[in-house]
Amino acid sequence: MKQKVLILGGGIAGYSAAQAIKRTGHDVRVTVITEEPEPTYSACVFAEYIAGEIPRERVFIQGQDQVVLEPSEWMLGQKIMGIDPEQKSLRLENGRTLGFDRLILATGSRALVPGFPGVHKEGVYCLKTLADAHGILEATGKSAVVVGSGPVGLEVAVALRKRGWDVSVIELLDNVLPRLFSPIHSGMIQSLLE
């Protein structure tokens, strides 16, 4: 009887785990369950997508049909409501229960959203998911404020400038890319962005 492996999360970690299991050659049924409505995509190319430099299909790791064939099964748009490790089962939002022999948690992270007032209003976006990137692309206006000058913040600032927007970047610390570069090197980078 085939071992059943459930992977929670269809991002890069979940996709990589499914690929690694399949490469072992063991007779295993792999099911990837994700809340995302799309198969695995690369958040690393969101800035290029937002800037209009690549089409939507290039955001995905492989063509959608190929990705669906890789693990034994993809369950897109599914929310997990509970896991019972003793019974080796989990419950989906639709009430369906799935059993497993092995469970891999590859759920990723969520964007850190500051707790100041107005952060959940229309026109305020994170950039963590493909839905976030679509929201930014559909935004109207010609100016943006990017909070945070890490790699993602600076990439989206540059992407929005390429779209013709006025962009301001706000950083809590004294320089851009503060966790990657010294103040001297950050200053050099900041001067290039101004």
Side-chain angles (χ1 to χ4, degrees), residues 3-99:
Q3 286 248 335
K4 290 185 270 185
V5 177
L6 298 184
I7 300 174
L8 307 187
I12 298 298
Y15 177 84
S16 297
Q19 298 304 310
I21 292 166
K22 294 301 246 178
R23 277 194 299 269
T24 66
H26 292 102
D27 193 20
V28 178
R29 178 159 182 80
V30 179
T31 302
V32 178
I33 304 169
T34 178
E35 285 187 47
E36 294 274 347
E38 297 97 359
T40 305
Y41 53 80
S42 173
C44 295
V45 299
F46 283 167
E48 294 170 83
Y49 178 52
I50 290 168
E53 296 170 348
I54 63 169
R56 183 179 187 275
E57 54 269 10
R58 291 250 333 262
V59 173
F60 296 99
I61 298 301
Q62 295 180 354
Q64 190 164 346
D65 295 337
Q66 291 173 307
V67 172
V68 172
L69 294 174
E70 291 298 334
S72 299
E73 180 181 12
W74 276 81
M75 296 179 72
L76 304 174
Q78 300 294 318
K79 187 172 184 176
I80 286 117
M81 302 306 291
I83 299 171
D84 185 340
E86 304 261 331
Q87 296 295 315
K88 291 191 170 188
S89 67
L90 61 79
R91 190 177 79 259
L92 300 175
E93 187 175 36
N94 65 10
R96 184 174 170 195
T97 300
L98 300 174

